[in-house]
Amino acid sequence: MVNQAAKQIATKGSKTALVQWIVIVALTALCLIVPTSELYTYQLKMFMALTVFCIAVVAFDTMPILVPCALLPVGYLLFGVAPIETAFSCWSSSTPWMFLGVFIFANALTRVGLLERVGYWFLARFGKSYLRVALVILLLGLVLSIALPGGNAHAPVFFFVLGILQAMGVGKSKDSAFLMVITYLGTWTTMKFIYNPNIALVQTCQQAAPTVALGYGSYLYYMLPFVLMIPLVFFVAYRILKPEGKVPAQSYFIDKAKELGAMTADQKRAAICTAVLLVLVLTTSLHHVSMAWVFFLMGCFIYFPAIGFGNAEDIRKANWGIVFFVAACISIGNVGLSVGFNDLIGSALTPLLSNVSVPVFFLIVLLAGFAAKFLLPPLAVMVIFSATLTPVAVSLGINPLPVWFAIIILGNFQILPYQFAAYKFGFSYGLMEQKDYIKIYLAKSLISLVLTMCVALPWWYFVGLL
């Protein structure tokens, strides 16, 4: 009877995999059968086919993520889509190296037990209830996001939450999923109203309008409606997940912290390295070393004699698939721009945006951005949409600043982990079911759409931007 059940599961799995591969092949073939033209060149056709194949394989999880992501830049090179310096330019970016350093450092902190110790310390003081733990994590994310804008607060907070989950003894569950959502709510969603450095990128990649200097205060003033994202997403995520919220009495965590005894030599080294890391991260404006390189260098620094506490196991356990995935996302953006994918989007959007009202203009921008993010990484969407939409907005007499803000808001529009590398990083730790992820982030996308159209647009009219 057990064997029969196992065979049924295997058969069902085989059928599902077959359907997935049929969809992957069909989507790839669809890109290839479209005839070439002056706009849809051979290079653009092959870019579309290779990119759709890679993304579909990652989305359906039909093979280890490292395989399609490692093959993608090679495919761009071998099929003549882009030269080697463009196809592999992803590895000259600091971002993949940052993720590698973060994985190695997190593995080392976990192995020596420092994260667990920090988790017990936190829960012994703030673990009175599950919701209280969630709210403190959210507050920590908000505070660090002010000091570390641009989503850079997510790694320190993520490490911290990993330690809390270890101390709570929570694996993949509704409880761990909700705390993951709160981690990213406090460190990434806050970028929509706490200063987002990407607003400078969005402005400088276009030439149709002068740039506007924005500081923390002016950015918050214009993006004030999106403060509502925090309580709304918190409430909706809690209602969707319905976490059990069972937390042992604080006395339990106090006792467990005492049982750990004095810190070991490795834990002391780990604590010192963590303190150094935080200081370097908080003082990037003084030493001018990119935060991404700081994380990577610390991942290497822990192996030096007399200082380090890392071992080969920490490197072996690093999620290399996610590192290659991040690199592939950067490659997609760079190669897409080089083959004229932005011209393709421009030719599709410009007729739709001509002679429409301002609300319809913004609605089309948001929906088109939502669709584009199934194929392109967020930064590529920002660059392409700004270069494409700014001239159209200027020709229609629309102030480009709220258009740039809308492009920033597109960061909230995603429903699958692969669409945002930082979220894929958190999801890779296996603390959340994909079906729950889809429900929550689909709801978040809808909340973002409604807030933009029903609250932000009236606000921008009120403050004189429109």
Side-chain angles (χ1 to χ4, degrees):
M1 191 170 181
V2 174
N3 290 335
Q4 184 178 359
K7 288 180 180 178
Q8 289 176 346
I9 294 172
T11 302
K12 184 178 179 181
S14 300
K15 289 180 179 178
T16 301
L18 178 61
V19 171
Q20 290 173 339
W21 275 109
I22 290 173
V23 172
I24 292 169
V25 172
L27 290 173
T28 306
L30 187 63
C31 298
L32 293 171
I33 63 176
V34 177
T36 57
S37 63
E38 186 177 348
L39 185 63
Y40 195 64
T41 62
Y42 167 80
Q43 286 78 14
L44 185 51
K45 174 190 284 192
M46 295 310 300
F47 165 78
M48 291 290 291
L50 292 167
T51 304
V52 166
F53 176 82
C54 175
I55 289 176
V57 169
V58 171
F60 285 123
D61 199 22
T62 54
M63 63 174 71
I65 190 174
L66 186 147
V67 177
C69 293
L71 285 174
L72 185 62
V74 177
Y76 289 151
L77 177 65
L78 296 182
F79 284 95
V81 177
I84 190 168
E85 59 269 20
T86 304
F88 286 89
S89 60
C90 52
W91 293 107
S92 65
S93 167
S94 60
T95 307
W97 302 103
M98 178 193 74
F99 275 84
L100 178 58
V102 166
F103 277 124
I104 293 172
F105 194 66
N107 289 344
L109 294 182
T110 301
R111 178 180 49 78
V112 302
L114 182 64
L115 289 183
E116 184 181 24
R117 182 180 288 274
V118 171
Y120 282 134
W121 175 88
F122 172 83
L123 291 169
R125 288 157 179 79
F126 302 102
K128 188 175 182 179
S129 71
Y130 178 81
L131 275 178
R132 184 178 181 184
V133 170
L135 288 170
V136 172
I137 291 171
L138 178 62
L139 181 61
L140 176 65
L142 286 166
V143 171
L144 283 182
S145 291
I146 297 172
L148 305 171
N152 291 302
H154 88 275
V157 178
F158 187 84
F159 290 161
F160 183 63
V161 175
L162 278 183
I164 292 172
L165 292 173
Q166 282 184 351
M168 291 173 65
V170 175
K172 180 186 283 187
S173 64
K174 303 290 186 181
D175 288 353
S176 62
F178 184 68
L179 292 187
M180 286 294 100
V181 172
I182 297 307
T183 299
Y184 284 91
L185 182 62
T187 57
W188 279 101
T189 306
T190 49
M191 289 171 61
K192 306 306 172 287
F193 56 89
I194 294 175
Y195 183 73
N196 186 341
N198 287 329
I199 190 64
L201 170 68
V202 171
Q203 293 191 63
T204 55
C205 64
Q206 57 78 38
Q207 299 177 341
T211 59
V212 179
L214 293 169
Y216 275 80
S218 56
Y219 186 89
L220 175 61
Y221 177 67
Y222 291 132
M223 300 293 271
L224 196 60
F226 296 99
V227 173
L228 295 173
M229 286 290 298
I230 302 301
L232 288 174
V233 175
F234 188 101
F235 174 77
V236 170
Y238 192 83
R239 294 290 295 177
I240 290 173
L241 289 170
K242 297 182 175 65
E244 292 184 12
K246 294 180 180 178
V247 179
Q250 283 182 281
S251 58
Y252 167 81
F253 297 115
I254 293 172
D255 292 339
K256 292 295 290 184
K258 290 179 180 178
E259 287 176 15
L260 293 177
M263 293 178 70
T264 65
D266 276 348
Q267 287 176 349
K268 290 178 181 177
R269 294 189 185 98
I272 292 171
C273 288
T274 301
V276 171
L277 174 66
L278 289 175
V279 170
L280 290 173
V281 164
L282 290 169
T283 57
T284 51
S285 60
L286 298 177
H287 55 69
H288 305 296
V289 177
S290 166
M291 204 172 305
W293 289 122
V294 168
F295 278 108
F296 173 70
L297 291 172
M298 186 56 69
C300 298
F301 183 71
I302 62 175
Y303 289 91
F304 278 71
I307 302 171
F309 56 94
N311 65 21
E313 180 185 1
D314 303 326
I315 297 176
R316 284 196 298 269
K317 286 187 175 182
N319 196 327
W320 290 91
I322 297 298
V323 174
F324 275 81
F325 169 76
V326 172
C329 288
I330 297 170
S331 183
I332 290 171
N334 293 343
V335 174
L337 288 171
S338 73
V339 299
F341 187 71
N342 54 318
D343 296 329
L344 183 66
I345 292 179
S347 66
L349 287 181
T350 301
L352 294 175
L353 295 171
S354 301
N355 301 317
V356 298
S357 64
V358 172
V360 173
F361 179 94
F362 279 90
L363 180 61
I364 292 174
V365 169
L366 294 175
L367 294 179
F370 177 75
K373 286 188 67 179
F374 282 97
L375 184 64
L376 293 173
L379 286 180
V381 172
M382 288 182 187
V383 171
I384 290 173
F385 270 55
S386 179
T388 303
L389 297 175
T390 304
V392 179
V394 171
S395 68
L396 294 174
I398 299 175
N399 183 351
L401 184 56
V403 177
W404 297 332
F405 287 148
I407 293 172
I408 290 293
I409 296 304
L410 289 176
N412 279 340
F413 286 69
Q414 50 103 10
I415 61 173
L416 293 168
Y418 82 85
Q419 292 180 283
F420 199 172
Y423 285 65
K424 182 70 174 174
F425 164 78
F427 186 77
S428 69
Y429 277 82
L431 298 168
M432 188 176 189
E433 296 286 353
Q434 180 156 300
K435 62 180 181 181
D436 291 329
Y437 186 101
I438 293 172
K439 289 177 185 177
I440 290 169
Y441 286 98
L442 176 59
K444 182 183 175 185
S445 298
L446 293 173
I447 291 171
S448 299
L449 179 64
V450 172
L451 271 180
T452 304
M453 298 303 300
C454 299
V455 183
L457 278 183
W459 174 252
W460 291 334
Y461 272 110
F462 178 74
V463 298
L465 287 183
L466 291 173

